């Protein structure tokens, strides 16, 4: 079965420090991977995606993610965290049986708390 | 419009009642998706439309749930005989038409409709 796991419910980091939000996946075939962020009372916002090519993907707001096929991981990273990065982050994988659609399987989410 | 608009933002109803949730996607986006997000969980796929037709409704939990998109733009998610377990945030998203690798998978989400069934 296809799935996405985010092993940490919450990640705490001090402002200015690097941050990592972890994601592992299980999918048949080549994975199409995504990160979305959700601020309170706002819709999910797209951060970045991996389809093919370079394993390091750069996205919005200075975020990047590293695709690691052998470890089936797609961790989200940022070199220097901001207080405004505090939000709920979701990793997702495209349902491989859905064709080229936006039918995604989401992880349960990780709350990022950046403290001043 | 500039973004995906969902109404109402909040809906409180009683068990057994009928509910309609509306989604107005980004103009020109032919693909429209409904997801459901329960407390503490990630969004779960319900149904998606390509144009007017439901291309995949495999995520609808049972026959109390139904969605339409009669003119290929606005969509309505309909829930009959609501149950307390239906309480969740219902998210709508849209994207450019499927089949285009560069943009097809990037979804733009609305702020959601929070449904509470008492």
């Amino acid at each position: 079965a296809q799935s996405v796991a985010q092993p940490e419910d919450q990640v705490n980091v001090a402002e200015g420090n690097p941050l990592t939000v972890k994601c592992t996946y299980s999918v048949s075939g080549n994975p199409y991977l995504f990160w979305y962020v959700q601020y309170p009372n706002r819709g999910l916002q797209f951060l970045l995606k991996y389809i093919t090519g370079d394993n390091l993907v750069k996205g919005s707001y200075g975020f990047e993610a590293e695709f690691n096929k052998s470890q089936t991981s797609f961790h989200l990273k940022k070199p220097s965290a901001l207080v405004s990065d505090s939000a709920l982050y979701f990793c997702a994988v495209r349902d491989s049986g859905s064709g080229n659609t936006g039918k995604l399987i989401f992880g349960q989410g990780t709350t990022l708390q950046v403290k001043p | 419009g500039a973004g995906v608009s969902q109404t109402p933002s909040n809906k409180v109803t009683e068990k057994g009642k009928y509910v309609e949730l509306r989604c107005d996607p980004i103009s020109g986006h032919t693909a429209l998706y409904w997801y459901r997000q329960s407390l503490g969980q990630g969004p779960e796929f319900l149904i998606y439309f390509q144009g007017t037709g439901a291309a995949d409704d495999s995520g609808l939990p049972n026959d109390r749930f139904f969605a339409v998109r009669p003119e290929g733009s606005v969509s309505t998610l309909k829930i009959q005989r609501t149950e307390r377990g239906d309480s969740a945030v219902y998210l709508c998203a849209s994207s450019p038409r499927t089949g285009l690798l560069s943009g097809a998978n990037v979804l733009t989400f609305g702020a959601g409709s929070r449904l509470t069934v008492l």
Side-chain angles (χ1 to χ4, degrees):
Chain A
Q2 302 175 91
S3 64
V4 174
Q6 294 180 242
E8 302 152 318
D9 289 336
Q10 182 158 328
V11 169
N12 297 308
V13 64
E15 187 175 32
N17 283 0
L19 69 88
T20 299
V21 182
K22 296 179 180 178
C23 172
T24 59
Y25 65 89
S26 174
V27 64
S28 57
N30 294 321
Y32 285 22
L33 296 156
F34 303 82
W35 277 100
Y36 282 82
V37 59
Q38 188 174 39
Y39 297 100
N41 300 316
R42 302 270 300 275
L44 278 77
Q45 296 177 28
F46 169 77
L47 278 179
L48 50 79
K49 66 179 179 181
Y50 171 83
I51 295 178
T52 187
D54 290 341
N55 290 342
L56 186 63
V57 179
K58 294 189 182 297
S60 306
Y61 312 121
F63 283 92
E64 57 190 27
E66 186 169 11
F67 170 65
N68 187 317
K69 187 173 183 178
S70 63
Q71 297 185 3
T72 61
S73 68
F74 189 55
H75 300 331
L76 182 70
K77 301 181 179 185
K78 187 173 183 180
S80 178
L82 300 172
V83 172
S84 58
D85 293 330
S86 299
L88 182 57
Y89 290 81
F90 289 98
C91 181
V93 64
R94 191 190 73 183
D95 185 319
S96 61
S98 69
N100 191 21
T101 74
K103 183 180 180 182
L104 303 179
I105 299 166
F106 284 87
Q108 71 271 33
T110 298
T111 298
L112 174 65
Q113 189 76 254
V114 181
K115 299 187 176 179
Chain B
V4 177
S5 175
Q6 291 189 246
T7 55
S9 56
N10 277 286
K11 176 70 176 180
V12 180
T13 191
E14 295 179 344
K15 179 182 172 183
K17 299 291 187 181
Y18 169 81
V19 166
E20 288 190 353
L21 306 176
R22 174 189 167 107
C23 173
D24 195 349
I26 290 175
S27 178
H29 279 190
T30 57
L32 183 148
Y33 301 80
W34 285 98
Y35 284 80
R36 179 168 71 174
Q37 186 176 14
S38 300
L39 191 63
Q41 302 295 317
E44 294 179 308
F45 170 81
L46 294 176
I47 184 172
Y48 106 86
F49 292 85
Q50 181 60 42
T52 60
D56 185 339
D57 65 358
S58 61
L60 294 178
N62 51 60
D63 61 5
R64 296 187 297 106
F65 288 75
F66 189 72
V68 295
R69 195 186 185 198
E71 297 179 355
S73 178
V74 171
S75 176
T76 304
L77 178 65
K78 307 180 180 191
I79 311 174
Q80 298 177 318
R81 305 182 304 280
T82 52
E83 300 178 356
R84 292 193 179 89
D86 298 336
S87 297
V89 177
Y90 289 82
L91 300 171
C92 178
S94 67
S95 75
R97 70 177 178 90
T98 57
L100 296 176
L101 184 63
S102 61
N105 301 116
V106 177
L107 303 179
T108 301
F109 282 85
S113 292
R114 181 178 298 278
L115 175 66
T116 303
V117 182
L118 302 178

